[in-house]
């Protein structure tokens, strides 16, 4: 029997007869084929490169390296180039004085000896360019694909390659934290992490945002837009320099201090890893590095993404594998990240990149066939195998909207090896509901189905909203719920309006329901924990390069304690701290005992905790019968109606609830709960 086979009532879809009367699953053959290809790649790495450790440390060979005698070795892969030169402020930008020597397999090498006094031939901070001469007679100025720091002068069009070799590099002090039992992720962007209308810094994040994240009870941060990108408004998804931490926020040493400070607080740090595509920039990107259309990428049209207007990697290329896998090692070793959220996995997995597909039905024919890009799939298997082999506590998360089976199963099983996948249908469902329905018309069964509809044995990160829902053109949950009244009626010094009252209560309930029922991890986007009142829009031509919406208004919490944002912040904090105490994210999936459409009541158990939600806009209930499995005494541990959370304080937290044996809704016991107002959760 095959758990991946597409078995339906009355048919054996995907099963074919084999020798001796056995049957075999065509889907499993695909999975095993991918697994064999991965094993073959690993065997080839052992034979040709001395193993995965050596192969994935190419950042110690390529680009520029300083030897013990302070000579500098420059090494590049540019197979289509006719000649390579190095120019920079060290040689007065002479285009011909320092020529690379051609090596086998399209490699090029240049050695610059140490100075007479024994110091390095190039000073720290020197600006450089690779000068590429092509077969067509072109002279191209390029940044090394392995550049570790690039900067952009004010009003300049392209970035400069800066030789980064500080005399006193930052040395981490704190060890990596243990892998969290329950993953509670704070998705963040360094540049917007300030109320001021400017690009905020790594140092600001370290001093002002990390303590806030710790206080909120998050144990993981997921950092966006760190890999260098020339266009700020791309949100960090059009990468130009894959080995460079973005200089717009500070220096590499500043980022290392940030991560070390997070580790000191017990917070693990994930990097938003973009290996699904690359910027099409040429002068400060990978595109046409050696003058050809197919150095790091497939030649057009396969190597072009029609919607993203970007280039697509050739994952079958040995040198591209070296580049990308070493890129993962670089961020783990040099900056001590604890794992990655892989962006755009759906685009990688399929030749169609998900374009023109509004949804996936879940039929296995969509996941196994010629539409699957096996080169990309095997690359992801290799990446996860190497990361989890070399770093057993590494965390990898896949952003996939297609529902690819076995995405989060081990590579030894034929899976792709991710630890988690993002539950991307959940925020879409909440936005759809808020757009299309009055809350009295919500379909409780449909909400529950969306929250629990995930592949058993594959962990999910649940979230009610992320950066996608915060972007200009859309609205955050808080804005959908309260809209313009957020600008006028959020003060606790005046009576609460009906819109603000209902909006605040639903904001809390949506987030806790998603937190407790939707997955094995939870994610929040920076600022949304307190109902950030505005969308996110980066400076661009369309808004006159304004930073007004490219910031997070933390001052709404500090400078104005009477605003109800403080109450939403307090609830988010207590929600996380309560999960930390009881561990429902690390527990098996919940048992839903009640999903009553007329009452708008949801009851479920997870980790010996009973959750009770009443989504009815006008009706409360007395002596509501609740099914539970574990007998005994239950007390209130978290209550959305608590005054400190913007509620009305209508429940007595000293009340004790006792069970009695009775089969009800699939459980062995019941208890009568008095005052089901908005929701309670009991233990």
């Amino acid at each position: 029997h095959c758990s991946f086979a597409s078995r339906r009532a009355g048919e054996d879809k995907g099963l074919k007869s084999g020798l001796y009367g056995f049957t075999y699953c065509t889907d499993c053959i695909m999975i095993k084929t991918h697994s064999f290809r991965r094993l073959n790649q690993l065997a080839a790495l052992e034979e040709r490169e001395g193993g995965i450790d050596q192969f994935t440390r190419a950042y110690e060979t390529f680009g520029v390296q300083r030897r013990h005698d302070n000579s500098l070795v420059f090494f590049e892969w540019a197979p289509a180039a006719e000649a390579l030169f190095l120019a920079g402020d060290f040689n007065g930008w002479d285009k011909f004085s320092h020529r690379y020597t051609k090596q086998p397999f399209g490699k090029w090498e240049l050695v610059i000896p140490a100075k007479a006094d024994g110091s390095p031939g190039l000073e720290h901070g020197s600006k450089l360019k690779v000068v590429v001469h092509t077969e067509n007679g072109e002279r191209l100025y390029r940044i090394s694909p392995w550049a570790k720091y690039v900067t952009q002068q004010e009003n300049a069009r392209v970035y400069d390659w800066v030789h980064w070799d500080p005399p006193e590099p930052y040395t981490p002090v704190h060890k990596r934290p243990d892998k969290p039992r329950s993953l509670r992720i704070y998705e963040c962007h360094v540049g917007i992490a300030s109320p001021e209308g400017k690009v905020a810094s790594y140092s600001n994040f370290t001093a002002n945002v990390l303590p806030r994240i710790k206080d909120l009870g998050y144990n993981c941060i997921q950092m966006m837009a760190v890999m260098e990108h020339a266009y700020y408004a791309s949100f960090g998804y059009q990468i130009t320099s894959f080995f460079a931490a973005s200089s717009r926020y500070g220096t590499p040493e500043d980022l290392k201090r940030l991560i070390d400070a997070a580790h000191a607080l017990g917070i693990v740090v994930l990097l938003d890893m973009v290996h699904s595509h690359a910027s099409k920039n040429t002068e400060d990107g990978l595109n046409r590095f050696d003058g050809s259309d197919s150095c790091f990428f497939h030649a057009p049209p396969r190597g072009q993404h029609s919607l993203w207007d970007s280039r697509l990697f050739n994952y079958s290329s040995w040198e591209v594998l070296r580049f990308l896998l070493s890129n993962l090692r670089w961020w783990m070793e040099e900056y001590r990240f604890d794992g990655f959220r892989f962006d755009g996995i759906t685009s990688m997995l399929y030749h169609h990149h998900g374009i023109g597909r509004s949804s996936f039905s879940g039929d296995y024919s969509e996941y196994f066939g010629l539409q699957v890009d096996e080169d990309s799939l095997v690359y992801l298997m290799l990446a996860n195998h190497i990361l989890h082999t070399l770093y057993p506590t590494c965390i990898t998360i896949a952003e996939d909207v297609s529902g690819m089976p076995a995405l989060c199963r081990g590579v030894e099983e034929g899976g792709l090896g991710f630890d988690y996948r993002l539950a991307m249908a959940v925020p879409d469902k909440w936005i759809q509901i808020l757009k299309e329905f009055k809350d009295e018309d919500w379909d409780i069964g449909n909400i529950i189905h969306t929250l629990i509809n995930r592949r058993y044995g594959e962990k999910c990160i649940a979230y009610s909203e992320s950066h996608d829902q915060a972007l200009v053109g859309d609205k955050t949950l808080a804005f959908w719920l309260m809209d313009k009244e957020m600008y006028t009626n959020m003060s606790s010094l005046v009576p609460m309006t009906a819109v603000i009252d209902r909006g605040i209560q639903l904001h809390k309930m949506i987030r806790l329901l998603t937190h407790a029922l939707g997955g094995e991890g939870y994610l929040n986007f920076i600022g949304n924990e307190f109902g950030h009142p505005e969308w996110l829009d980066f400076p661009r031509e369309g808004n006159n390069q304004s930073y007004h919406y490219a910031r997070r208004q933390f001052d709404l919490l500090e400078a104005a304690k009477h605003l109800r944002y403080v109450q939403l912040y307090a609830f988010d904090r207590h929600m996380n701290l309560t999960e930390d105490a009881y561990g429902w994210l690390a527990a098996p999936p919940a048992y839903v005992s009640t999903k009553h459409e007329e009452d708008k009541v949801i009851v479920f158990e997870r980790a010996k905790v009973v959750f009770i939600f009443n989504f009815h806009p006008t009706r409360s209930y007395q002596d509501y019968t609740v099914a539970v499995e574990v007998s005994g005494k239950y007390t209130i541990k978290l209550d959305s109606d608590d005054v400190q959370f913007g509620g009305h304080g209508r429940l007595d937290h000293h009340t004790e609830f006792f069970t009695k044996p009775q089969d009800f809704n699939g459980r062995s016991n019941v208890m009568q709960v008095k005052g089901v107002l908005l929701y309670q959760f009991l233990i």
Side-chain angles (χ1 to χ4, degrees):
H1 175 69
C2 167
S3 61
F4 300 118
S6 187
R7 303 295 298 272
R8 295 181 178 177
E11 64 174 329
D12 288 329
K13 185 175 181 181
L15 298 181
K16 296 186 180 297
S17 297
L19 294 175
Y20 310 111
F22 288 109
T23 59
Y24 62 91
C25 168
T26 54
D27 298 338
C28 261
I29 289 176
M30 293 292 293
I31 290 174
K32 289 184 177 181
T33 300
H34 302 151
S35 191
F36 289 147
R37 286 194 57 186
R38 174 186 62 86
L39 292 172
N40 287 338
Q41 288 278 35
L42 290 172
L45 288 177
E46 289 289 343
E47 179 182 347
R48 303 179 198 174
E49 301 284 350
I52 60 176
D53 182 63
Q54 184 171 330
F55 184 69
T56 57
R57 289 185 180 273
Y59 54 83
E60 296 178 349
T61 304
F62 285 78
V64 54
Q65 309 295 331
R66 178 160 58 90
R67 293 172 172 170
H68 294 299
D69 62 357
N70 278 341
S71 62
L72 298 172
V73 181
F74 293 79
F75 199 67
E76 301 293 348
W77 176 63
E82 187 71 20
L84 255 62
F85 296 86
L86 184 70
D89 47 19
F90 78 101
N91 66 0
W93 296 98
D94 190 313
K95 297 182 287 291
F96 302 105
S97 63
H98 289 74
R99 181 171 185 152
Y100 287 73
T101 301
K102 191 169 187 178
Q103 305 292 320
F105 307 111
K107 312 290 177 56
W108 300 83
E109 184 181 63
L110 167 66
V111 179
I112 297 180
K115 294 180 181 178
D117 61 1
S119 62
L122 268 70
E123 295 181 0
H124 166 63
S126 298
K127 292 183 179 180
L128 303 166
K129 287 281 187 180
V130 177
V131 185
V132 179
H133 290 247
T134 71
E135 294 179 348
N136 299 326
E138 296 176 285
R139 182 185 300 152
L140 310 174
Y141 293 86
R142 297 288 187 256
I143 290 176
S144 170
W146 304 82
K148 298 175 177 61
Y149 191 55
V150 297
T151 62
Q152 187 180 40
Q153 296 297 316
E154 188 174 357
N155 299 322
R157 191 170 65 87
V158 297
Y159 274 73
D160 296 310
W161 174 19
V162 176
H163 176 52
W164 191 258
D165 187 17
E168 297 182 5
Y170 181 77
T171 302
V173 177
H174 305 282
K175 68 175 185 177
R176 298 180 191 267
D178 294 333
K179 191 173 183 176
R181 175 190 64 166
S182 298
L183 200 61
R184 300 183 297 273
I185 303 172
Y186 195 84
E187 183 186 34
C188 55
H189 185 293
V190 169
I192 68 170
S194 165
E196 300 180 63
K198 64 178 185 180
V199 179
S201 66
Y202 295 124
S203 298
N204 166 73
F205 195 94
T206 303
N208 299 317
V209 185
L210 279 181
R212 184 188 309 278
I213 296 171
K214 178 65 175 179
D215 178 66
L216 281 164
Y218 292 95
N219 55 22
C220 174
I221 58 176
Q222 179 180 301
M223 299 187 69
M224 307 178 64
V226 169
M227 301 169 73
E228 190 60 271
H229 48 291
Y231 185 42
Y232 189 43
S234 76
F235 222 147
Y237 292 122
Q238 293 278 346
I239 306 300
T240 46
S241 291
F242 282 76
F243 286 82
S246 181
S247 60
R248 55 173 55 87
Y249 318 126
T251 69
E253 311 312 301
D254 293 335
L255 176 57
K256 292 174 186 177
R257 289 187 186 92
L258 187 162
I259 295 172
D260 199 28
H263 287 169
L265 295 172
I267 298 172
V268 298
V269 187
L270 307 183
L271 175 65
D272 224 348
M273 176 57 60
V274 187
H275 279 183
S276 50
H277 65 132
S279 168
K280 70 175 185 179
N281 286 16
T282 54
E283 292 187 57
D284 52 11
L286 294 182
N287 192 20
R288 299 192 72 242
F289 172 69
D290 64 354
S292 74
D293 272 335
S294 55
C295 183
F296 288 91
F297 311 110
H298 287 292
R302 185 179 177 185
Q304 293 177 320
H305 197 292
S306 59
L307 287 185
W308 295 346
D309 194 25
S310 55
R311 297 303 312 272
L312 301 174
F313 287 105
N314 179 2
Y315 302 102
S316 65
S317 165
W318 195 259
E319 293 304 325
V320 172
L321 285 179
R322 189 196 308 275
F323 179 81
L324 294 176
L325 293 173
S326 296
N327 188 234
L328 298 173
R329 286 293 304 275
W330 165 256
W331 294 104
M332 293 291 290
E333 292 284 341
E334 183 71 11
Y335 289 96
R336 300 175 71 242
F337 279 94
D338 301 292
F340 306 100
R341 178 263 201 187
F342 282 75
D343 176 70
I345 294 299
T346 307
S347 175
M348 297 177 68
L349 290 175
Y350 308 98
H351 290 297
H352 54 66
H353 309 302
I355 298 173
R357 292 178 176 253
S358 58
S359 64
F360 286 77
S361 68
D363 191 285
Y364 279 77
S365 64
E366 296 174 324
Y367 308 117
F368 303 102
L370 297 179
Q371 71 271 29
V372 175
D373 188 331
E374 290 193 10
D375 295 332
S376 301
L377 189 147
V378 172
Y379 165 70
L380 292 171
M381 295 176 75
L382 278 174
N384 276 303
H385 171 81
I386 289 169
L387 285 170
H388 290 101
T389 299
L390 298 175
Y391 310 98
T393 61
C394 178
I395 299 168
T396 59
I397 302 172
E399 187 209 29
D400 170 46
V401 73
S402 76
M404 167 66 78
L407 190 69
C408 299
R409 300 300 299 181
V411 293
E412 69 279 359
E413 299 178 308
L416 273 70
F418 286 97
D419 295 292
Y420 299 89
R421 71 194 315 153
L422 293 178
M424 301 182 71
V426 174
D428 290 345
K429 174 57 65 176
W430 286 123
I431 295 299
Q432 179 210 357
I433 289 171
L434 294 176
K435 281 182 178 180
E436 299 178 6
F437 300 99
K438 298 177 181 179
D439 52 345
E440 59 264 31
D441 297 328
W442 287 9
D443 185 334
I444 296 298
N446 184 249
I447 293 172
I448 296 300
H449 173 75
T450 302
L451 287 167
I452 66 175
N453 183 27
R454 53 188 184 271
R455 297 188 185 280
Y456 184 79
E458 297 194 51
K459 294 180 181 179
C460 287
I461 302 294
Y463 56 106
S464 53
E465 54 184 339
S466 69
H467 70 273
D468 288 326
Q469 287 73 42
L471 292 175
V472 64
D474 207 334
K475 296 180 182 180
T476 62
L477 286 182
F479 221 78
W480 277 112
L481 290 165
M482 295 175 278
D483 206 69
K484 61 183 179 181
E485 288 206 25
M486 296 189 74
Y487 295 118
T488 57
N489 297 324
M490 284 294 280
S491 174
S492 60
L493 302 179
V494 299
M496 188 183 287
T497 67
V499 170
I500 295 297
D501 189 6
R502 188 65 176 152
I504 283 180
Q505 312 319 326
L506 285 177
H507 191 271
K508 293 177 291 185
M509 295 171 68
I510 287 170
R511 295 170 73 80
L512 180 60
L513 182 60
T514 302
H515 199 304
L517 192 59
E520 290 69 39
Y522 178 75
L523 178 142
N524 164 70
F525 179 63
I526 180 172
N528 286 355
E529 69 276 5
F530 62 87
H532 199 278
E534 292 173 340
W535 55 85
L536 179 63
D537 189 15
F538 288 92
R540 53 188 174 85
E541 289 184 8
N543 63 13
N544 295 318
Q545 303 299 330
S546 172
Y547 284 87
H548 181 73
Y549 295 110
R551 60 195 179 105
R552 298 285 91 178
Q553 299 182 55
F554 295 123
D555 52 333
L556 294 174
L557 300 172
E558 280 83 17
K561 297 288 187 181
H562 65 282
L563 295 180
R564 297 192 183 277
Y565 301 107
V566 177
Q567 298 166 344
L568 293 177
Y569 179 99
F571 179 79
D572 199 81
R573 178 176 183 272
H574 280 77
M575 179 175 65
N576 283 325
L577 295 181
T578 309
E579 194 288 325
D580 190 54
Y582 298 101
W584 60 72
L585 288 172
Y591 182 90
V592 181
S593 59
T594 300
K595 44 183 177 181
H596 199 292
E597 292 297 340
E598 184 178 348
D599 293 347
K600 302 299 181 191
V601 170
I602 300 168
V603 180
F604 61 89
E605 298 163 83
R606 192 175 184 188
K608 297 183 179 180
V609 178
V610 179
F611 297 81
I612 306 173
F613 293 80
N614 174 16
F615 279 95
H616 202 288
T618 59
R619 189 184 303 167
S620 295
Y621 307 98
Q622 294 293 325
D623 296 324
Y624 203 86
T625 303
V626 171
V628 295
E629 185 61 31
V630 179
S631 63
K633 180 180 70 176
Y634 288 76
T635 58
I636 297 174
K637 295 298 181 181
L638 185 64
D639 169 21
S640 74
D641 200 43
D642 197 314
V643 173
Q644 67 171 319
F645 306 143
H648 301 281
R650 293 168 290 190
L651 296 178
D652 182 0
H653 290 192
H654 298 291
T655 304
E656 296 177 338
F657 304 88
F658 295 89
T659 65
K660 63 179 181 180
Q662 178 183 330
D663 291 337
F664 182 64
N665 287 354
R667 305 278 86 182
S668 303
N669 298 279
V670 298
M671 61 183 174
Q672 300 298 314
V673 179
K674 296 182 179 181
V676 180
L677 296 165
L678 291 170
Y679 75 77
Q680 312 160 51
F681 112 48
L682 316 167
I683 184 168

